[in-house]
């Protein structure tokens, strides 16, 4: 190693030389225990003490020597020919071949080499040395073991006044660092003395080269009027563009090189009147780099808004909506394998949607007793996703094997879990709680390894459920049109054809009602007459028969008179 600099110092500046020697131990001070102080101590057994389990690590930088590379060309020519034979001359090569073939040693050499070549050919025919025994190494089968997860580490908020961990982010370089954002969810009611390192009202960003200082800060006049709940970086040439969403109903695009005002603003008014008072408050954001012109917003009202940034007018930027939740949508993420399908969390359920079905979700979980707070897809398995609940439970769902219940449920902590993030390899999950505690968990290989034919199964499942929802939507649409047509028919005036009814049926019905009224009146009169006549003596049986015959005859005459009167 080359010496860069030599430090020179005089011997007299080193000070007196130290001479060390061995000697016996000496007792200088012996303080006896005080019995009065001993009585004031209270023994604690066991003792609970919180410690950090993280490994102490250090970072060093080294300037290595530059490795110089050089490219050179090599000219390959046909070999094996004598020096007096030019391989480019056809006549010379033919003459030399004939000369060699006439040699006796040539035939013997060919016979010996032929047997060896034949043996090698037979080996190749028996064993394919180029056969791929493991074509699909990524989708290998894992051992049949029960899904499980274990806690790797716990990171607690170092501040005395605890704050909720509201957002987590893995470092993209190797995923060895985890960034945790803390904030007070009781807006404008933060306790005195709480750390104010997070920014809620204004859009802010940090440059790690500047330490803990804010690199750029937007002005209050041009920023959001409500708390900002989502910010996403955009993949641009400069790498300085991002956009944010807030409950004030606005989505703003920013360039950190010019933070005085946003470069673009979209008002989330689904009536497309661009009125801020009618805008829906944004809670979550979703942006997929493979779809650079599209972004999605989850609102407080339980509606997902799909937007197109490249639309000509602001009203056209709102493409469509997906209503389905009874409360704010706290999580919104597209499937990493099938971007057309996306996952949402709101109220007590998690739902999977398809862009082709706008009226309802294609798949959903059961209603839980506790509110759901966050969700994320697995980056390595298309049918696995994770959800957190207010009761401190982490649920792991695998729709490939079970749709009604989670594959694994873990009670992470007693307080509410507010956020989660999955590492790129799918093995580690970080969960943030209400008290600022971040728990790092490791899942079993079965939940973090792609299963055989899982992509095909997931694709067919999503397509089947989307097709089923389309059929149901078409059926519901037909029923609504029929009900609407019936309602409009009752409200409109009747046409002449509708007034053309069967007159004979009306006449017969009127006659029946008329006769019923007359017969009822006659019976009433007969009953009154019977009440007024005196009770006669009891006749003999012969007289009874004569009386009955007389009554029948009188009844028939009375009926004939009534019919004559009606005629």
């Amino acid at each position: 190693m080359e010496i860069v600099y030599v430090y020179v110092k005089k011997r007299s500046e080193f000070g007196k030389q130290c001479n060390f020697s061995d000697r016996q131990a000496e007792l200088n001070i012996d303080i006896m225990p005080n019995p009065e102080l001993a009585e004031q101590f209270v023994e604690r057994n066991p003792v609970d003490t919180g410690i950090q389990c993280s490994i102490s690590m250090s970072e060093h930088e080294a300037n290595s020597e530059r490795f110089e590379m050089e490219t050179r060309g090599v000219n390959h020519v046909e070999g094996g020919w004598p020096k007096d034979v030019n391989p480019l001359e056809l006549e010379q090569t033919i003459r030399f071949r004939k000369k060699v073939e006439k040699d006796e040693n040539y035939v013997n050499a060919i016979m010996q080499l032929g047997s060896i070549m034949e043996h090698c050919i037979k080996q190749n025919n028996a064993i394919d040395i180029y056969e791929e025994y493991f074509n699909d190494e990524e989708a290998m089968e894992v051992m049949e073991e029960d899904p499980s997860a274990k806690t790797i580490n716990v990171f607690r908020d170092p501040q005395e006044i605890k704050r909720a961990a509201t957002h987590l982010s893995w470092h993209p370089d190797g995923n060895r660092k985890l960034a945790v954002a803390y904030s007070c969810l009781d807006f404008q009611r933060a306790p005195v003395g709480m750390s104010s390192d997070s920014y809620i009202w204004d859009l802010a960003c940090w440059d790690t080269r500047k330490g803990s200082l804010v690199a750029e800060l937007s002005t209050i006049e041009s920023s959001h009027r409500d708390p900002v709940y989502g910010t996403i970086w955009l993949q641009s040439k400069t790498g300085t563009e991002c956009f944010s969403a807030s409950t004030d109903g606005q989505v703003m695009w920013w360039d950190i090189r010019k933070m005085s005002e946003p470069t673009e603003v979209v008002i989330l008014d689904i009536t497309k009147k661009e009125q801020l008072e009618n805008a829906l408050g944004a809670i979550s954001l979703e942006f997929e780099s493979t779809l650079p012109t599209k972004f999605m917003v989850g609102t407080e009202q339980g509606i997902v808004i799909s937007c197109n940034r490249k639309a000509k007018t602001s009203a056209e930027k709102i493409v469509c909506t997906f209503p389905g939740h009874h409360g704010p949508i706290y999580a919104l993420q597209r499937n990493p394998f099938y971007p057309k399908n996306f996952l949402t969390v709101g109220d007590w359920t998690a739902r999977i949607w398809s862009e082709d079905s706008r009226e309802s979700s294609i798949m959903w979980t059961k209603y839980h007793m506790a509110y759901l707070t966050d969700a994320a897809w697995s980056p390595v398995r298309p049918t696995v996703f994770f959800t957190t609940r207010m009761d401190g439970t982490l649920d792991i769902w695998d729709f490939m094997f079970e749709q009604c219940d989670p594959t694994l449920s873990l009670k992470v902590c007693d307080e509410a879990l507010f956020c989660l993030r999955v590492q790129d390899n799918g093995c580690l999950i970080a969960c943030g709680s209400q008290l600022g505690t971040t728990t790092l968990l490791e899942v079993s290989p079965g939940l973090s390894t792609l299963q055989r034919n899982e992509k095909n199964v997931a694709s067919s499942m999503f397509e089947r459920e989307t097709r089923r929802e389309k059929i149901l939507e078409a059926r519901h649409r037909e029923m609504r049109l029929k009900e609407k047509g019936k309602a409009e028919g009752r409200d409109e005036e009747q046409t002449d054809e509708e007034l053309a009814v069967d007159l004979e049926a009306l006449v017969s019905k009127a006659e029946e009602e008329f006769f019923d009224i007359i017969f009822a009146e006659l019976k009433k009169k007969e009953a009154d007459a019977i009440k007024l006549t005196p009770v006669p003596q009891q006749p003999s049986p012969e007289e009874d028969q004569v009386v009955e015959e007389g009554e029948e005859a009188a009844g028939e005459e009375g009926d004939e008179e009534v019919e004559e009167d009606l005629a």
Side-chain angles (χ1 to χ4, degrees):
M1 181 180 294
E2 183 182 358
I3 299 176
V4 179
Y5 186 78
V6 178
Y7 294 89
V8 180
K9 192 175 183 181
K10 295 182 179 180
R11 176 63 184 84
S12 59
E13 296 178 359
F14 281 97
K16 185 179 179 181
Q17 183 179 0
C18 298
N19 295 323
F20 299 96
S21 60
D22 296 334
R23 65 176 183 179
Q24 297 295 328
E26 297 179 1
L27 179 62
N28 296 326
I29 300 175
D30 186 9
I31 302 176
M32 300 300 295
N34 190 350
E36 296 180 358
L37 295 177
E39 294 178 356
Q40 299 179 7
F41 286 92
V42 178
E43 183 180 359
R44 294 176 58 189
N45 188 14
V47 179
D48 296 333
T49 304
I51 60 174
Q52 291 285 62
C53 301
S54 59
I55 303 173
S56 300
M57 302 180 68
S58 60
E59 183 177 359
H60 299 276
E61 295 181 357
N63 187 13
S64 58
E65 297 181 358
R66 184 181 298 274
F67 181 76
E68 296 182 359
M69 300 182 64
E70 184 179 356
T71 303
R72 294 182 180 179
V74 179
N75 185 19
H76 293 275
V77 295
E78 186 177 356
W81 299 96
K83 294 181 180 180
D84 57 346
V85 177
N86 186 4
L88 300 179
E89 293 292 337
L90 183 61
E91 295 181 357
Q92 295 183 14
T93 56
I94 293 175
R95 192 181 304 111
F96 181 75
R97 285 195 182 98
K98 290 181 178 180
K99 179 181 178 182
V100 172
E101 290 175 357
K102 293 179 180 179
D103 190 359
E104 296 179 358
N105 296 330
Y106 172 78
V107 178
N108 297 331
I110 291 296
M111 294 299 295
Q112 293 177 0
L113 296 175
S115 60
I116 299 175
M117 190 66 185
E118 182 181 5
H119 176 71
C120 294
I121 293 175
K122 290 181 178 180
Q123 278 188 340
N124 289 340
N125 293 334
I127 302 174
D128 186 5
I129 61 174
Y130 300 105
E131 182 180 359
E132 293 288 344
Y133 292 96
F134 306 99
N135 294 328
D136 194 1
E137 294 183 358
E138 295 182 356
M140 61 181 181
E141 293 287 347
V142 297
M143 295 184 297
E144 295 183 358
E145 59 177 355
D146 295 334
S148 61
K150 60 181 179 179
T151 302
I152 301 298
N153 207 339
V154 177
F155 306 97
R156 295 181 174 86
D157 186 6
Q159 300 293 332
E160 295 182 0
I161 300 177
K162 301 302 179 183
R163 303 160 297 166
T166 55
H167 191 78
L168 303 171
S169 179
W170 289 97
H171 196 283
D173 187 9
N175 293 324
R176 299 187 63 180
K177 297 179 182 180
L178 177 66
V180 184
Y182 300 93
S183 65
C184 179
L185 299 181
D186 297 330
F187 187 63
Q188 293 184 341
R189 292 190 298 271
V192 179
M194 189 191 72
S195 176
S196 58
D197 290 341
S198 10
Y199 290 78
I200 299 175
W201 281 79
D202 300 331
L203 177 69
C205 60
W206 277 262
D207 190 343
T208 55
R209 295 170 295 183
K210 296 184 179 181
S212 60
L213 300 178
V214 179
E216 298 292 342
L217 185 66
S218 62
T219 59
I220 298 178
E221 294 78 10
S222 60
S223 300
H224 292 284
R225 298 295 182 266
D226 277 353
V228 177
Y229 281 93
T231 305
I232 298 179
W233 286 99
L234 298 175
Q235 291 186 355
S236 59
K237 296 180 180 179
T238 60
T240 59
E241 297 180 7
C242 63
F243 70 107
S244 61
S246 170
T247 50
D248 62 358
Q250 298 182 94
V251 179
M252 297 183 178
W253 276 261
W254 304 87
D255 191 338
I256 63 174
R257 296 174 299 178
K258 186 178 63 175
M259 297 289 288
S260 59
E261 61 182 6
T263 59
E264 187 179 351
V265 178
V266 175
I267 299 176
L268 300 177
D269 184 6
I270 59 177
T271 61
K272 299 186 178 181
K273 297 180 180 179
E274 300 184 23
Q275 296 180 358
L276 191 58
E277 56 269 16
N278 297 333
L280 305 181
I283 293 293
S284 55
L285 275 176
E286 167 58 29
F287 175 77
E288 176 62 36
S289 59
T290 58
L291 305 172
T293 61
K294 294 183 179 181
F295 68 95
M296 306 183 76
V297 182
T299 63
E300 289 181 303
Q301 292 75 17
I303 299 175
V304 178
I305 303 177
S306 178
C307 304
N308 184 7
R309 185 186 178 188
K310 297 301 181 181
K312 296 181 180 180
T313 62
S314 299
E316 294 178 354
K317 290 183 178 181
I318 298 179
V319 179
C320 60
T321 58
F322 300 86
H325 285 286
H326 306 297
I329 298 177
Y330 291 110
L332 174 61
Q333 186 184 10
R334 291 184 183 270
N335 191 294
F337 296 89
Y338 306 100
K340 186 182 294 186
N341 302 101
F342 57 93
L343 172 68
T344 60
V345 156
D347 52 62
W348 301 271
T349 61
R351 296 178 179 269
I352 299 177
W353 303 76
S354 174
E355 289 185 345
D356 298 333
S357 177
R358 300 179 180 178
E359 296 185 6
S360 62
S361 56
I362 60 173
M363 302 176 73
W364 55 87
T365 65
K366 65 179 182 180
Y367 280 81
H368 295 82
M369 298 300 295
Y371 220 75
L372 299 186
T373 56
D374 200 359
W377 287 101
S378 171
V380 294
R381 292 194 56 189
T383 60
V384 174
F385 64 92
F386 310 88
T387 59
T388 54
R389 289 190 269 167
M390 290 289 289
D391 59 358
T393 303
L394 170 68
D395 291 330
I396 304 177
W397 297 81
D398 189 352
F399 271 12
M400 185 176 178
F401 298 103
E402 192 171 3
Q403 292 81 29
C404 299
D405 297 308
T407 305
L408 181 63
S409 294
L410 298 173
K411 182 69 173 178
V412 179
C413 56
D414 296 331
E415 64 269 13
L417 291 176
F418 280 159
C419 57
L420 71 93
R421 279 295 178 275
V422 186
Q423 200 181 30
D424 291 343
N425 57 13
C427 296
L428 299 180
I429 307 170
C431 303
S433 70
Q434 185 178 7
L435 299 180
T437 302
T438 303
T439 305
L440 191 63
L441 301 104
E442 182 181 6
V443 298
S444 58
L447 296 173
S448 58
T449 305
L450 186 66
Q451 304 295 309
R452 186 176 298 277
N453 297 328
E454 183 175 359
K455 292 183 180 180
N456 297 332
V457 172
S459 177
S460 61
M461 183 188 302
F462 291 149
E463 291 178 358
R464 181 185 69 245
E465 296 300 326
T466 302
R467 189 164 51 253
R468 179 180 63 86
E469 287 299 326
K470 284 184 178 179
I471 296 173
L472 294 177
E473 289 177 6
R475 178 59 178 165
H476 292 165
R477 197 177 299 113
E478 293 178 0
M479 295 175 64
R480 286 195 297 268
L481 291 175
K482 289 182 180 180
E483 293 294 332
K484 185 178 180 180
K486 291 181 181 179
E488 292 177 354
R490 288 192 296 266
D491 296 337
E492 294 179 354
E493 295 180 357
Q494 294 181 346
T495 60
D496 296 338
E497 295 179 357
E498 292 175 344
L499 293 175
V501 295
D502 191 359
L503 297 178
E504 294 181 0
L506 292 175
V507 172
S508 61
K509 185 177 181 180
E511 289 180 353
E512 291 178 0
E513 293 177 355
F514 178 71
F515 283 121
D516 291 340
I517 294 172
I518 291 177
F519 286 135
E521 291 292 333
L522 289 176
K523 291 181 179 180
K524 183 177 181 182
K525 289 181 180 179
E526 290 178 358
D528 295 339
I530 293 173
K531 292 180 180 178
L532 295 175
T533 56
V535 181
Q537 296 180 356
Q538 186 175 3
S540 61
E542 296 178 355
E543 292 177 350
D544 291 338
Q545 185 176 2
V546 174
V547 171
E548 290 176 358
E549 293 176 355
E551 289 178 354
E552 291 178 357
E556 292 177 358
E557 292 177 357
D559 294 338
E560 292 177 357
E561 292 176 358
V562 171
E563 292 178 355
E564 290 176 357
D565 294 338
L566 292 174

